[in-house]
Amino acid sequence: MKKLTALTLALLLLALTACSGTPVIAPPRDPAPPAEENAQPQPDLPADGTALKTGLALVPSLGASKSAGEEPGLAQVDLTLVAVTVDDSGVIADCIIDAVQAKLPFTGQGKLTADLTAPVPTKNQLGTDYGMGKYSPIGREWDQQAQAFAQYAVGKTVEELRGMALNEKGAPAEADLAASCTISVGGLLEAVAQAVDSARHLGAAQGDTLSLAAITSTGSSKDAGEEPGLAQVDSTVTAVTFRGEEISSCIIDAAQCKVNFDSAGTITTDITAVPLTKNQLGRNYGMHKASSIGKEWSEQAEAFAQYAVGKTVEEIQGIALNEKGGPADADLAASVTLNPGSFQQVLALAHELR
């Protein structure tokens, strides 16, 4: 209707100009609404779809690490992962909880003894191989209990979750939930709260399928020698929603957790400090200094996530690369110059796990 009215007005103005010989100045158009910051192309919502926010939380801890003594030392990184979709009133529409537990033992001489080439699966991927089930009073594995808590969170707000009754061990006291979840849930709850707090409208809608995936490596670790030893755990993580085969929203983040130790097997890192993710570090991560386009890791990861929306994982896997390993597509290369291999891999895994 607006287009028809504008066309009619324009024709009328031309007619008046022709008849009178006097130029007629058309009234200004209504200004277009300002574009939302960081706006991105989004697939059309389903006919009955309600727009949802997508959130992701990575909560690392180094606290279980210990120096070598009578027993070998241990660098342990525990990473709690949560993906959510949330409506505008803060009610959780979907929730997935997972965790990474990477253990890198070392000797009293500062020599790492772990296989640094081995993949590091998440607890959900490990399933019964994680081994909690045989010690659980209800015979349930960690992934089953985390899933039960995630399902319990659906339909609730963070405030409602914070009000849940807990027993003296920090596990759920409510009979229905306690029948399927006896682990302490305080850390899980705080990670859920962080994911909800960070959630944004990125294209997801009711009816989309939420997925959470992480790829973790320890290959950058090294023995102590003239320089301190390093146990480094790198995790690339994504929260993705799928609408059919298309990605409807996407967040990518990464944690780079480091534990240093000396040639006597003594840890020199403050293991009480909570490492920040690359998105939380922002420009303090420092990649922008060496970037040919002056963009930080977090900015490039966000740009790639936005680029992924509206595409299939197969299309993402087919991105052409230039001779430096960055995207060859001019539009994408304007905001992403790092090699997108880890992004492609984690999105492919998310598609597989959905």
Side-chain angles (χ1 to χ4, degrees), residues 331-349:
D331 290 339
L332 182 58
S335 53
V336 179
T337 55
L338 53 77
N339 187 298
S342 61
F343 299 160
Q344 293 170 307
Q345 291 171 24
V346 79
L347 286 174
L349 180 58

Side-chain angles (χ1 to χ4, degrees), residues 10-286:
L11 291 172
L12 178 60
L13 292 172
L14 286 171
L16 288 172
T17 303
C19 293
S20 64
T22 304
V24 178
I25 300 174
R29 296 179 180 178
D30 292 335
E36 184 178 346
E37 187 176 359
N38 295 324
Q40 63 189 77
Q42 298 176 1
D44 293 335
L45 293 179
D48 57 349
T50 301
L52 297 173
K53 299 177 182 178
T54 307
L56 172 65
L58 286 64
V59 184
S61 170
L62 309 177
S65 302
K66 61 180 182 179
S67 297
E70 293 183 2
E71 297 181 351
L74 176 67
Q76 180 169 322
V77 174
D78 293 287
L79 188 63
T80 302
L81 314 173
V82 175
V84 295
T85 50
V86 190
D87 70 16
D88 285 338
S89 60
V91 175
I92 297 169
D94 202 355
C95 178
I96 303 173
I97 298 173
D98 202 349
V100 173
Q101 186 176 82
K103 297 182 178 183
L104 295 175
F106 52 88
T107 68
Q109 293 73 45
K111 304 299 181 184
L112 290 159
T113 58
D115 179 2
L116 302 181
T117 65
V120 183
T122 69
K123 291 184 181 180
N124 285 354
Q125 290 172 316
L126 283 168
T128 56
D129 289 338
Y130 181 61
M132 177 181 282
K134 56 189 175 185
Y135 303 107
S136 167
I138 56 174
R140 292 175 69 85
E141 192 47 74
W142 186 95
D143 65 308
Q144 296 172 308
Q145 299 197 43
Q147 183 180 17
F149 184 74
Q151 290 174 343
Y152 176 81
V154 172
K156 298 178 178 63
T157 64
V158 169
E159 289 71 22
E160 290 172 326
L161 290 176
R162 290 192 191 280
M164 67 185 296
L166 302 176
N167 62 24
E168 67 281 357
K169 296 180 180 180
E174 182 181 319
D176 288 344
L177 182 55
S180 55
C181 181
T182 58
I183 59 176
S184 174
V185 296
L188 301 184
L189 173 54
E190 290 311 309
V192 170
Q194 187 173 314
V196 171
D197 185 59
S198 70
R200 296 179 294 152
H201 281 294
L202 298 172
Q206 193 74 40
D208 292 353
T209 300
L210 178 65
S211 186
L212 170 65
I215 293 179
T216 300
S217 68
T218 58
S220 294
S221 303
K222 62 180 182 178
D223 295 336
E226 293 183 2
E227 297 182 352
L230 172 66
Q232 180 168 320
V233 178
D234 294 294
S235 295
T236 302
V237 185
T238 187
V240 193
T241 56
F242 291 93
R243 188 169 306 147
E245 290 298 309
E246 277 192 357
I247 295 169
S248 57
S249 71
C250 180
I251 304 171
I252 299 172
D253 199 354
Q256 189 177 79
C257 299
K258 300 179 180 182
V259 177
N260 290 110
F261 49 90
D262 61 24
S263 56
T266 301
I267 289 176
T268 57
T269 298
D270 179 6
I271 60 174
T272 65
V274 178
L276 297 178
T277 71
K278 291 185 182 181
N279 284 354
Q280 289 170 333
L281 284 168
R283 293 182 72 80
N284 287 328
Y285 181 61

